[in-house]
Amino acid sequence: MSVNQREIGRRTLFAEIRRQGRIPRIRLSEVTGISRATVTTITAELLRDGLIEEISSESPDKDARRGRPKVDLKICGEARLIAGAKISNRSVSLVLLDFEGNQLADHEVELEQTAHQAVDLAQLLAGHVGDLANKVGRSLADVSGFGLGIAGIVDAPRGFVHWSPSLTSRNVEFGKVLSDTLSIPVFLDNDANLVAMAEKTFGLGQGHSDFIVVTIESGVGMGIVIGDEIYRGTRGCGAEFGHTKVQLEGALCRCGQRGCLEAYVADYALLREAMSASGGQDERQVEDLLAAAKDGDAVAGSIVERAGRMFAMGLANLVNIFDPELIILAGEQMQASHLYAEEVIEVMRKLIVQVDKAPPEVVVHKWGNQMWARGAAAYALENVSELALQEMKDHVV
């Protein structure tokens, strides 16, 4: 077997073991089409490097008493520690996973400000990842990789942030700044992409190879999964749903342009409208504004109703472009219903191309920042697994 064939076989078998959770060698050969002899050779290498382990089979074995008991193979959870984090407007949420993907600990920290210099934010995150590891009796040095979801326009392969509301500067090699500060591999991506990763790995996207996730928090984001892969665009600017234009020369968006969808439906947009309508006197929070709209407040109702119409138009544009099987509306703002009320979805249905087939399913997934952090950790886990398999090449003769 050539080195290249061995590497492909190793990746295939390792991925299948992870997907199955636990699986005997003979079954592994059957589902991958790789010969039993090759499965035995490669899994022996994975066992030797501590990436997988043997456990007693759960299936009954009539012949176990006459020979060696049947065993299954599974990922060795203790092989690596993986951290993931999501930076929100005023907080950082972190989770720690083992190599199997089991969550070991979580950590939530409030931020004193919304935007930071890159070096300062990296040092802050390094301290919190260390605190996270300490919760399970480990240290930052024991963490094999760190995944981070950050709002803005991110070139994930380069770890390059073109713009983010969490950073005071544009065009920052933030991945390098982070890896230099933490002294571990860092995997950076737009936070909405990592929500899509979370939904694909352990959320409502499981079993779907093509779907769209729309996130609504302090801003509006989107993650697209096509053919089981996250679509990012050639510059890392793909899927910027919040910055699609819905009004020529319209409201000012925090990205610096005008007429973006986000400038009409995000938290800051609703509050800005309320402040403007009151002549600068309305200092209510978003929760208060939404409650007032439900209670019949005319001004609040008008603001929320317009946000719903704009959002419905944006969703209709997504359907007309992608025609996805499933759209997941996700995030903390899903605790409120103004953007997914039936009347909003009905407006979307009226605006899409009409054919004699049902429109895409729109589902709501209400969860907070820990899910975003788990998506970041899942992204890091995928990359750390690849690094671990690459390191095995040194052992191949």
Side-chain angles (χ1 to χ4, degrees):
M1 184 191 303
S2 69
V3 172
N4 186 53
Q5 288 176 318
R6 186 185 293 267
E7 290 174 8
I8 294 172
R10 189 183 294 129
R11 285 187 177 88
T12 301
L13 294 175
F14 186 82
E16 190 61 31
I17 294 169
R18 182 176 291 287
R19 190 180 76 83
Q20 294 282 349
R22 54 188 298 161
I23 184 172
R25 286 175 178 82
I26 187 170
R27 178 64 180 155
L28 194 55
S29 174
E30 292 171 352
V31 297
T32 62
I34 297 175
S35 71
R36 293 186 187 183
T38 301
V39 167
T40 298
T41 300
I42 291 178
T43 55
E45 295 172 352
L46 294 169
L47 285 164
R48 177 201 62 205
D49 281 44
L51 301 183
I52 64 173
E53 61 182 335
E54 294 181 329
I55 56 173
S56 298
S57 175
E58 292 181 341
S59 58
D61 182 7
K62 297 178 181 178
D63 298 323
R65 295 180 181 177
R66 298 186 304 192
R68 182 182 178 186
K70 280 191 174 181
V71 296
D72 289 340
L73 299 172
K74 64 182 285 291
I75 303 298
C76 180
E78 296 181 357
R80 301 286 191 278
L81 281 180
I82 314 294
K86 139 78 168 170
I87 301 178
S88 301
N89 193 35
R90 279 298 184 98
S91 66
V92 178
S93 304
L94 303 97
V95 298
L96 188 69
L97 306 183
D98 67 13
F99 204 40
E100 283 188 87
N102 299 313
Q103 184 168 323
L104 304 178
D106 59 72
H107 195 54
E108 190 90 19
V109 186
E110 295 298 318
L111 296 175
E112 295 181 358
Q113 59 197 64
T114 58
H116 305 75
Q117 292 187 11
V119 173
D120 293 341
L121 184 55
Q123 291 175 342
L124 182 149
L125 289 169
H128 293 317
V129 174
D131 292 340
L132 180 69
N134 289 341
K135 289 190 172 184
V136 295
R138 308 291 285 275
S139 68
L140 174 59
D142 296 317
V143 178
S144 297
F146 175 55
L148 177 67
I150 188 170
I153 300 174
V154 181
D155 185 337
R158 293 171 56 201
F160 189 86
V161 180
H162 295 280
W163 168 81
S164 171
S166 296
L167 295 173
T168 55
S169 301
R170 300 176 74 99
N171 301 319
V172 179
E173 292 184 328
F174 194 45
K176 183 178 186 305
V177 174
L178 278 170
S179 60
D180 288 347
T181 303
L182 277 73
S183 299
I184 58 174
V186 170
F187 309 98
L188 181 69
D189 203 349
N190 172 271
D191 55 1
N193 284 340
L194 298 184
V195 173
M197 173 68 79
E199 294 288 6
K200 175 176 176 287
T201 306
F202 35 68
L204 299 179
Q206 292 181 89
H208 296 274
S209 60
D210 301 272
F211 63 92
I212 290 174
V213 178
V214 175
T215 64
I216 305 103
E217 289 207 311
S218 55
V220 178
M222 180 170 71
I224 304 173
V225 175
I226 300 176
D228 272 330
E229 298 291 333
I230 292 177
Y231 177 78
R232 294 183 173 89
T234 56
R235 299 179 299 152
C237 304
E240 285 297 330
F241 179 50
H243 301 291
T244 55
K245 303 301 180 277
V246 294
Q247 181 71 49
L248 186 65
E249 298 300 327
L252 181 65
C253 178
R254 63 179 179 173
C255 75
Q257 296 197 4
R258 289 186 174 274
C260 298
L261 175 65
E262 182 177 296
Y264 293 91
V265 305
D267 285 2
Y268 69 85
L270 301 181
L271 295 177
R272 180 175 60 193
E273 283 295 303
M275 187 68 75
S276 175
S278 69
Q281 301 302 310
D282 193 336
E283 297 184 356
R284 287 178 290 187
Q285 298 301 307
V286 171
E287 296 79 6
D288 301 325
L289 187 67
L290 296 176
K294 282 187 176 182
D295 291 340
D297 183 300
V299 173
S302 174
I303 294 170
V304 172
E305 191 268 339
R306 184 178 75 155
R309 282 189 288 111
M310 288 293 192
F311 190 60
M313 180 168 63
L315 288 179
N317 288 336
L318 287 185
V319 174
N320 289 337
I321 294 170
F322 292 101
D323 193 25
E325 177 186 10
L326 174 68
I327 296 177
I328 303 171
L329 305 182
E332 199 166 17
Q333 273 292 65
M334 292 298 95
Q335 308 300 329
S337 64
H338 66 293
L339 293 181
Y340 65 88
E342 181 55 36
E343 51 265 36
V344 173
I345 304 303
E346 186 57 36
V347 171
M348 179 209 78
R349 295 190 184 111
K350 291 178 180 178
L351 294 175
I352 65 176
V353 174
Q354 302 297 311
V355 295
D356 292 330
K357 294 186 74 173
E361 182 183 8
V362 179
V363 298
V364 174
H365 195 177
K366 302 178 182 181
W367 42 254
N369 289 331
Q370 289 298 327
M371 185 76 164
W372 299 67
R374 287 188 69 189
Y379 179 49
L381 178 60
E382 185 177 87
N383 283 278
V384 168
S385 296
E386 176 61 24
L387 289 176
L389 294 174
Q390 289 178 4
E391 291 168 358
M392 289 183 64
K393 290 190 292 185
D394 297 336
H395 300 292
V396 176
V397 179

